[in-house]
Amino acid sequence: RKHKRRWALSFYCYFVYLSLGYTQKEISKLISRTNACVSKYIKDVVTLSESIIYEKELIVKKEQIEILLKEKINHLLRYGEEK
């Protein structure tokens, strides 16, 4: 069982790793966890299963966050900082 705080950390590590291109070592310094923990957090998000009801909801949220991040990144690249 994973708690909401654990899922929040997992999603944070996953998106910082993929979207911002940070290494696992850099992320581990940001959140004060070991590289092994960061690796496990990222793996948790990558291996979400559609067969588990709770994880299916997390997959939907992950997709929504991915869309939002793409929009924000495109906006920043196109227009600069948001005001």
Side-chain angles (χ1 to χ4, degrees):
R1 296 183 187 175
K2 297 177 184 76
H3 300 286
K4 290 181 181 182
R5 184 181 301 173
R6 166 77 183 268
W7 280 115
L9 258 174
S10 296
F11 273 82
Y12 175 79
C13 291
Y14 174 79
F15 286 116
V16 169
Y17 180 71
L18 287 182
S19 298
L20 300 178
Y22 278 56
T23 64
Q24 290 182 5
K25 185 176 181 179
E26 292 170 331
I27 297 170
S28 71
K29 287 180 183 178
L30 285 174
I31 63 171
S32 300
R33 298 281 198 281
T34 64
N35 283 344
C37 286
V38 171
S39 176
K40 186 159 180 62
Y41 292 153
I42 293 170
K43 184 179 176 186
D44 286 344
V45 177
V46 171
T47 59
L48 287 172
S49 173
E50 293 261 345
S51 62
I52 300 171
I53 294 170
Y54 181 72
E55 289 187 5
K56 192 173 185 177
E57 294 172 7
L58 289 173
I59 290 171
V60 171
K61 288 181 182 182
K62 180 182 101 169
E63 291 168 353
Q64 291 171 346
I65 293 170
E66 285 174 340
I67 291 169
L68 182 66
L69 276 175
K70 285 180 184 177
E71 290 173 359
K72 294 286 185 182
I73 290 172
N74 285 337
H75 181 80
L76 286 172
L77 291 174
R78 191 173 295 148
Y79 303 110
E81 289 188 34
E82 290 185 89
K83 293 183 180 182

